[in-house]
Amino acid sequence: MSKLSGKIALVTGGARGIGEAIVRRLHADGASVYFTFNSSPDKANALAAELGASVQAIQADVAQADSVTSLVKTVLEHSANTAKRIDILVNNAGITKDTLVLRMSESDWDSVIDTNLKGAFLMSKAVCKPMMSQRAGKIINIGSIVGITGNAGQVNYSASKAGLIGLTKSFAKELSSRNILVNCVAPGYIDTDMTAKISDEQKKALQSSIPLGRTAQPHEIASVVAFLASDDASYITAQTIVVDGGLAA
């Protein structure tokens, strides 16, 4: 039997990059997966169609409370024929608005914090009630190594990801008595659309700074998420798992 057979998973920002890899891995491990997108509906719907009836794409804005409430209600109602539950939440949705701090506008700050941090808060709060009723659940936040180390030109992004670590620890302490485990995964540099845009020279310099000598593939992050979502991680909570090839060691 697959490790996540019978489980209901909700992944935010699941249409591309790390999110897409997580959707694919949780589906491969037997979960029914609902994932959100806020743009690129064609890509999201194509992924859902490829993976089959047990994967559903839902448009939602995690930074808006009404949208989050509607999303969670939809997932619970859609899963009523099986369990009417949410077993796994992966807070992956995130954006960047990179620039040096003296050039960073208030809207650059607000939009990143709203999506990356407020969005994770709203989503986690929304699934708390069904998970508490179930007396079980897994919440996995996708952070970043820059939430630990900081990074020039990413004050807003770094702050949002550092905030996720504090949110993870606090939610874990509040929810542990109901057997709801909350953890964070902090990736280093990943091969995504964003890193594909840099020059070969920049990429070579980047890779030379990583002890393993390469950037990660999205599926390598998804593997850690799948582990945390499984019963194999039944005694792990309030932790930040760094997956960076030794970069911040």
Side-chain angles (χ1 to χ4, degrees):
M1 181 181 292
S2 299
K3 288 186 176 182
L4 299 180
S5 180
K7 301 294 186 181
I8 307 295
L10 174 54
V11 180
T12 66
R16 62 179 65 211
I18 294 172
E20 178 184 349
I22 292 170
V23 169
R24 290 182 180 278
R25 177 57 188 266
L26 297 183
H27 168 260
D29 283 1
S32 295
V33 184
Y34 299 83
F35 71 91
T36 73
F37 64 96
N38 199 22
S39 60
S40 304
D42 291 345
K43 185 172 178 60
N45 291 329
L47 176 61
E50 176 193 341
L51 296 181
S54 63
V55 176
Q56 300 289 326
I58 305 172
Q59 188 162 18
D61 182 352
V62 299
Q64 299 297 323
D66 289 346
S67 181
V68 167
T69 299
S70 176
L71 166 66
V72 172
K73 181 180 179 182
T74 297
V75 173
L76 289 172
E77 289 176 349
H78 196 275
S79 66
N81 292 332
T82 52
K84 197 173 182 178
R85 58 190 292 138
I86 297 174
D87 301 291
I88 302 155
L89 169 65
V90 182
N91 285 311
N92 172 73
I95 62 171
T96 58
K97 297 277 186 177
D98 295 351
T99 189
L100 295 175
V101 67
L102 291 177
R103 298 174 183 169
M104 186 173 291
S105 67
E106 186 176 353
S107 64
D108 289 338
W109 172 271
D110 287 345
S111 59
V112 170
I113 296 297
D114 283 351
T115 298
N116 298 8
L117 184 55
K118 179 184 174 184
F121 161 73
L122 291 174
M123 287 298 307
S124 299
K125 182 180 179 183
V127 303
C128 276
K129 191 171 183 179
M131 285 186 175
M132 289 174 73
S133 297
Q134 297 160 198
R135 300 194 70 84
K138 301 286 185 74
I139 299 175
I140 302 162
N141 298 314
I142 305 302
S144 170
I145 191 62
V146 303
I148 298 171
T149 64
N151 196 34
Q154 290 191 309
V155 167
N156 48 4
Y157 186 75
S158 298
S160 71
K161 296 303 186 178
L164 273 181
I165 294 174
L167 181 145
T168 296
K169 292 179 180 295
S170 297
F171 262 86
K173 290 180 183 297
E174 288 197 24
L175 301 177
S176 60
S177 65
R178 297 300 183 99
N179 195 36
I180 301 170
L181 311 183
V182 188
N183 292 290
C184 181
V185 177
Y189 291 103
I190 314 299
D191 272 337
T192 62
D193 293 343
M194 183 166 53
T195 54
K197 295 176 183 177
I198 67 176
S199 68
D200 290 341
E201 184 178 344
Q202 289 172 317
K203 192 166 188 177
K204 185 176 180 180
L206 171 62
Q207 291 174 339
S208 69
S209 69
I210 302 170
L212 282 183
R214 64 176 179 87
T215 51
Q217 297 299 312
H219 72 82
E220 294 177 295
I221 308 305
S223 294
V224 179
V225 172
F227 165 69
L228 291 172
S230 75
D231 290 340
D232 289 339
S234 59
Y235 201 61
I236 300 175
T237 195
Q239 301 304 306
T240 296
I241 311 298
V242 175
V243 190
D244 70 346
L247 179 63

